[in-house]
Amino acid sequence: MKTFLTRIVKGVFGTAYKLLSALLPVQHNKVVIASYREDHLSDNFKDVYEKLKQDPSLRITLLFRKMDKGLIGRAAYLLHLFSSLYHLATCRVLLLDDYYFPLYVVPKRKETVAIQLWHACGAFKKFGYSIVNKPFGPSSDYLKIVPVHSNYDYAIVSAPAAVPHFAEAFQMEEKQILPLGIPRTDYFYHKEHIRTVLDEFHRAYPELKHKKKLLYAPTFRGSGHHQEGDATPLDLLQLKSALKLKDYVVMLHLHPYMRKHAHTEEDDFVLDLTDSYSLYDLMAISDGLITDYSSVIFEYSLLKRPMYFYCPDLEDYLEERDFYYPFESFVPGPISKDVPSLVHDIESDHEADKKRIEAFSQTFITHQDGKSSERVADFISSFLTSGAD
């Protein structure tokens, strides 16, 4: 039944797009920025948008909408996607940051340039066509109906090291994968903003000024909009009691789909700051990162601060998802599978990891100049004609 409905939706979308393409011209000064991940501009899109809108002759359309749960929520989201076909059929540039169903089921016009600005920095966990028929990936049967990650003209990545992996994940030629840099890494070069964030944080939490602040940012373990299993594998109460030194505090930043499963209670050791600060603000505030398989390690490496990998389910994750590199030799920090080992890592000397983090950063983030947003915006602008219809 699901397969039948998918075929029907694909047929309706394809027919509507063809009709719109036959009736309407491409607007050569029109950019569409689309995502199902957020309902507002954030991360990679924000600074690129700010650069583009400096040209008042450009037409920029934002298509942001999260899918609500339930039958009504899904129906409303499907209607939103259908109504978006007008903009897909008439834009010169389509900018995405993730999976986008309408693009995969229509005969995209040659005049439209589709650019994938993937939401994760670097290539770490396998995705796309690299995980076909795995629990986290698309099935072969689904791909016969909906060829996901198709119709991209270009993808933008953080470094040449990521190019072959993105080419594999998207089934694209390597020459279409451009290492222009990831716009959101520009955050770490906005020194005045970071100073302001630090000052505001210390005013809000003066008791934490001299404590060591550990950011805990675990990866999202679900698929789609669903979290599977325990959202926070790390037992924070056990961590608190095991730390010999009491001058630590853990700052939480959880994926939106994880929060309702987290069951965390704030005290003098745990602060859930997901709603109060952006992930990048918390990176700047923190003294170290605890994570597992999150791609946040690429951005965090720019800070040259310690990273601790708490991975009690590493073997399971390897089987279900896998990585582009051998995990143990790839990550720039110690790996632990139980709390006592994690505590030992946290309380140990970190000097040995500094060179490793520096080398990791240089390999996977080539452009460390705060100008990635500008490069991406310039690349998009190269396809646009100011004032044209």
Side-chain angles (χ1 to χ4, degrees):
M1 184 63 178
K2 184 177 180 180
T3 299
F4 175 74
L5 291 175
T6 303
R7 290 183 185 277
I8 293 296
V9 171
K10 176 181 179 179
V12 171
F13 273 52
T15 300
Y17 183 88
K18 287 180 182 178
L19 180 61
L20 289 166
S21 298
L23 295 175
L24 302 171
V26 166
Q27 299 173 25
H28 288 269
N29 62 338
K30 181 175 180 177
V31 181
V32 169
I33 305 177
S35 178
Y36 82 91
R37 299 180 62 81
E38 302 286 350
D39 52 17
H40 59 278
L41 278 168
S42 64
D43 291 347
N44 282 343
F45 287 152
K46 189 173 182 179
D47 285 347
V48 173
Y49 170 77
E50 292 297 328
K51 302 286 185 187
L52 291 173
K53 77 173 188 178
Q54 291 176 13
D55 183 347
S57 70
L58 299 184
R59 298 178 181 178
I60 306 175
T61 299
L62 305 180
L63 299 177
F64 296 103
R65 179 165 182 152
K66 289 183 178 181
M67 183 172 66
D68 296 327
K69 287 186 175 182
L71 184 60
I72 295 177
R74 290 176 181 273
Y77 183 70
L78 192 63
L79 182 61
H80 160 74
L81 292 181
F82 185 76
S83 66
S84 300
L85 290 175
Y86 163 77
H87 295 294
L88 267 65
T90 57
C91 69
R92 173 62 171 147
V93 174
L94 172 64
L95 185 62
L96 306 170
D97 68 345
D98 206 327
Y99 178 94
Y100 198 66
F101 176 85
L103 182 62
Y104 312 143
V105 295
V106 300
K108 183 177 73 69
R109 304 175 81 161
K110 291 182 179 179
E111 303 101 311
T112 297
V113 179
I115 302 172
Q116 177 62 256
L117 185 59
W118 194 245
H119 60 277
C121 188
F124 179 25
K125 298 170 289 189
K126 289 187 176 181
F127 64 104
Y129 284 88
S130 300
I131 54 171
V132 173
N133 292 325
K134 283 183 172 288
F136 281 88
S139 70
S140 299
D141 290 339
Y142 184 75
L143 291 174
K144 292 175 183 177
I145 306 170
V146 181
V148 303
H149 301 309
S150 59
N151 275 335
Y152 300 155
D153 294 288
Y154 300 98
I156 294 172
V157 298
S158 62
V163 168
H165 307 307
F166 274 81
E168 176 186 307
F170 294 153
Q171 296 284 280
M172 296 170 66
E173 295 185 29
E174 290 193 8
K175 66 182 181 181
Q176 296 174 277
I177 315 296
L178 309 178
L180 300 179
I182 300 302
R184 66 170 173 266
T185 61
D186 292 350
Y187 171 94
F188 299 100
Y189 302 91
H190 297 161
K191 302 302 183 183
E192 188 64 33
H193 172 77
I194 290 175
R195 279 194 293 270
T196 299
V197 169
L198 287 170
D199 289 343
E200 291 177 350
F201 180 82
H202 290 146
R203 282 196 295 269
Y205 300 97
E207 70 280 8
L208 303 182
K209 189 169 186 178
H210 300 293
K211 287 197 173 188
K212 295 180 180 178
K213 293 168 278 293
L214 300 173
L215 171 60
Y216 180 40
T219 195
F220 171 55
R221 282 172 165 73
S223 58
H225 295 255
H226 305 289
Q227 172 64 29
E228 298 174 358
D230 185 0
T232 54
L234 176 57
D235 187 329
L236 295 170
L237 291 178
Q238 186 182 359
L239 177 64
K240 178 181 180 180
S241 62
L243 283 167
K244 298 182 182 70
L245 299 175
K246 302 306 177 186
D247 60 344
Y248 288 93
V249 63
V250 172
M251 305 183 299
L252 293 182
H253 191 282
L254 302 176
H255 190 285
Y257 304 150
M258 297 169 67
R259 296 197 65 202
K260 68 176 184 176
H261 297 274
H263 304 303
T264 56
E265 293 184 8
E266 291 191 12
D267 58 12
D268 60 343
F269 181 69
V270 179
L271 285 176
D272 185 351
L273 299 176
T274 306
D275 292 333
S276 306
Y277 295 87
S278 74
L279 176 58
Y280 301 95
D281 288 342
L282 292 179
M283 287 191 217
I285 293 167
S286 69
D287 299 298
L289 171 71
I290 302 173
T291 188
D292 39 29
Y293 319 113
S294 174
S295 295
V296 72
I297 62 175
F298 294 103
E299 293 99 313
Y300 202 80
S301 71
L302 292 170
L303 296 170
K304 313 299 188 292
R305 297 173 190 168
M307 288 182 259
Y308 312 101
F309 295 84
Y310 182 69
C311 309
D313 59 345
L314 178 56
E315 287 74 20
D316 292 338
Y317 203 85
L318 282 168
E319 183 176 345
E320 293 177 359
R321 181 85 179 253
D322 206 358
F323 304 94
Y324 288 109
Y325 301 88
F327 184 82
E328 291 86 349
S329 59
F330 174 77
V331 297
I335 302 168
S336 57
K337 296 185 179 182
D338 55 59
V339 172
S341 298
L342 175 61
V343 168
H344 175 269
D345 294 336
I346 292 172
E347 294 182 338
S348 298
D349 180 30
H350 312 299
E351 290 299 319
D353 290 328
K354 286 187 176 180
K355 289 184 178 179
R356 189 177 176 188
I357 293 170
E358 174 66 31
F360 179 90
S361 177
Q362 292 294 333
T363 299
F364 295 104
I365 303 183
T366 303
H367 300 287
Q368 300 188 12
D369 55 6
K371 296 182 179 179
S372 293
S373 300
E374 183 177 336
R375 274 186 294 275
V376 173
D378 287 346
F379 178 68
I380 292 170
S381 296
S382 70
F383 297 103
L384 302 168
T385 304
S386 297
D389 289 323

